[in-house]
Amino acid sequence: MWKDFFYFTKSERRAVLVLAAVLVVLSGGNLWLRMERGEALPLSASDSGRIDSFLANVKEKQRVGRQPRQAYQPAVAVTLRPFDPNTADSALLRSLGLPAFIARNVMKYRERGGVFRTPESFSRMYGLTPEQYGELKPYIRIHERFALPERDAALRKESVPLRDSLPYRVIEKYPEGTVVNLNEADTSALKRVPGIGSGLARMIVAYRNRLGGFYAVSQLQEIPYVDASANRWFKVDSVRVRQMEVNRASLDRLRSHPYMDFYKARAIIEYRRKRGKLKSVSQLALFEEFSEDDLKRLEPYLSFE
């Protein structure tokens, strides 16, 4: 049938093409106007069913996504029994029905030198609800050594063992005005500083070893949970700072320092390989890996010999 089109005259064929173009434009314009007005387009039954199914799936996924996810916590058998919050470990606290985060808060409080001297002091633990405290209060037993006032130092000597074979000894703290050399104190000396327990003392020594020693007391605030109020108990001896040999240290040795990372260490290694030894900190300022603050912190720990 389409072959008949070529039997028309040239003017007739032109008229047919113009008419077809007008029909296409009118159809497209009508469709565009209906879409602009928000009018529904005619759909087949199968298309309509697929669209409804898709919308239903989207709504179901949104409903499921809005539901809060419950954090997984392993089941712990709850057994109420007498306990001392000053000596109970996290497993015992969990077995009393306390959530894991409250048990962690108790451990952190004790590591920082905190002591529960009365059952009421345990009720102020962050996260503990009045209902939980009311249930546990009849079972709280504060050992007499923890219940003693701070001023009674004679009864808190470290050499006196606790009764009932409790694996905890109250350490006598330094009097106000004492100043400790931060680069020489071991964990025993650090635990005698008010506000510092066994956990923090170990963290301070470990960080000091990684640094190579402290050159400023303010570096203590780079350790989690060490408050600035502890700084008044310390002084530093910058002579005790251990330096790294920049031109001899390996990649692992360089990156192990708290003020370095893999990219900084690699930049130094690459410079040494291509251009030779580094002579000063000012050369490191040319590397994009080192900021001005990085260089200020690193300078006491770097040796260019």
Side-chain angles (χ1 to χ4, degrees), residues 4-41:
D4 296 337
F5 176 76
F6 295 99
Y7 290 101
F8 295 146
T9 64
K10 185 177 181 179
S11 59
E12 290 175 341
R13 290 198 301 268
R14 186 180 301 166
V16 170
L17 292 175
V18 171
L19 181 60
V22 171
L23 290 175
V24 170
V25 171
L26 291 177
S27 299
N30 183 49
L31 179 62
W32 180 79
L33 288 174
R34 295 181 66 180
M35 292 176 63
E36 284 291 315
R37 295 173 181 174
E39 297 180 5
L41 300 177

Side-chain angles (χ1 to χ4, degrees), residues 84-86 109-110 112-118 121-122 124 142-143 145-148 150 168 170-171 173:
D84 188 339
N86 293 295
Y109 175 74
R110 283 167 25 190
R112 299 184 65 177
V115 178
F116 299 102
R117 303 195 179 279
T118 63
S121 63
F122 183 69
R124 294 189 290 271
I142 304 296
H143 193 275
R145 290 294 301 276
F146 300 109
L148 292 176
E150 284 286 340
Y168 188 97
V170 178
I171 297 175
K173 298 294 185 178

Side-chain angles (χ1 to χ4, degrees), residues 268-300:
I268 292 175
I269 297 294
E270 286 297 314
Y271 184 92
R272 281 163 33 186
R273 185 176 64 86
K274 296 178 180 179
R275 301 188 180 182
K277 293 184 178 181
L278 288 156
K279 297 181 180 180
S280 65
V281 175
S282 60
Q283 287 181 278
L284 296 179
L286 303 177
F287 300 169
E288 62 180 10
E289 289 82 2
F290 291 89
S291 66
E292 185 177 351
D293 291 338
D294 291 333
L295 297 177
K296 287 181 180 179
R297 297 198 303 171
L298 275 169
E299 185 172 9

Side-chain angles (χ1 to χ4, degrees), residues 84-228:
D84 188 339
N86 293 295
T87 58
D89 57 18
S90 58
L92 175 56
L93 294 174
R94 294 281 285 118
S95 69
L96 294 170
L98 292 175
F101 79 94
I102 294 182
R104 287 195 298 269
N105 290 342
V106 173
M107 296 296 107
K108 291 178 181 178
Y109 175 74
R110 283 167 25 190
E111 287 177 356
R112 299 184 65 177
V115 178
F116 299 102
R117 303 195 179 279
T118 63
E120 288 72 22
S121 63
F122 183 69
S123 68
R124 294 189 290 271
M125 179 53 53
Y126 179 75
L128 187 68
T129 65
E131 293 75 15
Q132 290 171 329
Y133 171 69
E135 187 176 7
L136 294 176
K137 183 178 180 180
Y139 301 94
I140 299 177
R141 305 288 187 270
I142 304 296
H143 193 275
E144 60 183 7
R145 290 294 301 276
F146 300 109
L148 292 176
E150 284 286 340
R151 63 179 180 275
D152 196 354
L155 296 178
R156 293 187 290 113
K157 290 183 179 180
E158 189 174 356
S159 59
V160 180
L162 297 179
R163 292 188 300 181
D164 301 332
S165 300
L166 291 175
Y168 188 97
R169 293 188 298 178
V170 178
I171 297 175
E172 184 177 1
K173 298 294 185 178
Y174 288 124
E176 189 69 35
T178 302
V179 180
V180 179
N181 191 320
L182 188 55
N183 284 328
E184 296 179 354
D186 57 12
T187 54
S188 298
L190 291 171
K191 286 190 291 186
R192 296 188 63 187
V193 175
I196 296 180
S198 300
L200 278 183
R202 289 193 296 268
M203 292 170 65
I204 291 172
V205 171
Y207 192 66
R208 183 179 66 195
N209 291 337
R210 290 183 60 205
L211 279 173
F214 296 97
Y215 62 77
V217 176
S218 58
Q219 289 176 282
L220 280 173
Q221 275 64 72
E222 298 169 8
I223 304 173
Y225 312 116
V226 179
D227 191 80

Side-chain angles (χ1 to χ4, degrees), residues 215-277:
Y215 62 77
V217 176
S218 58
Q219 289 176 282
L220 280 173
Q221 275 64 72
E222 298 169 8
I223 304 173
Y225 312 116
V226 179
D227 191 80
S229 60
N231 292 2
R232 71 181 189 277
W233 298 93
F234 297 103
K235 64 179 180 179
V236 295
D237 181 3
S238 59
V239 178
R240 300 294 298 271
V241 173
R242 185 174 67 255
Q243 293 184 318
M244 293 188 298
E245 295 183 345
V246 176
N247 291 310
R248 295 187 179 91
S250 65
L251 177 67
D252 290 337
R253 173 68 182 94
L254 290 170
R255 67 185 293 190
S256 65
H257 195 277
Y259 296 160
M260 297 279 279
D261 57 30
F262 172 79
Y263 301 101
K264 293 181 176 66
R266 186 179 64 178
I268 292 175
I269 297 294
E270 286 297 314
Y271 184 92
R272 281 163 33 186
R273 185 176 64 86
K274 296 178 180 179
R275 301 188 180 182
K277 293 184 178 181

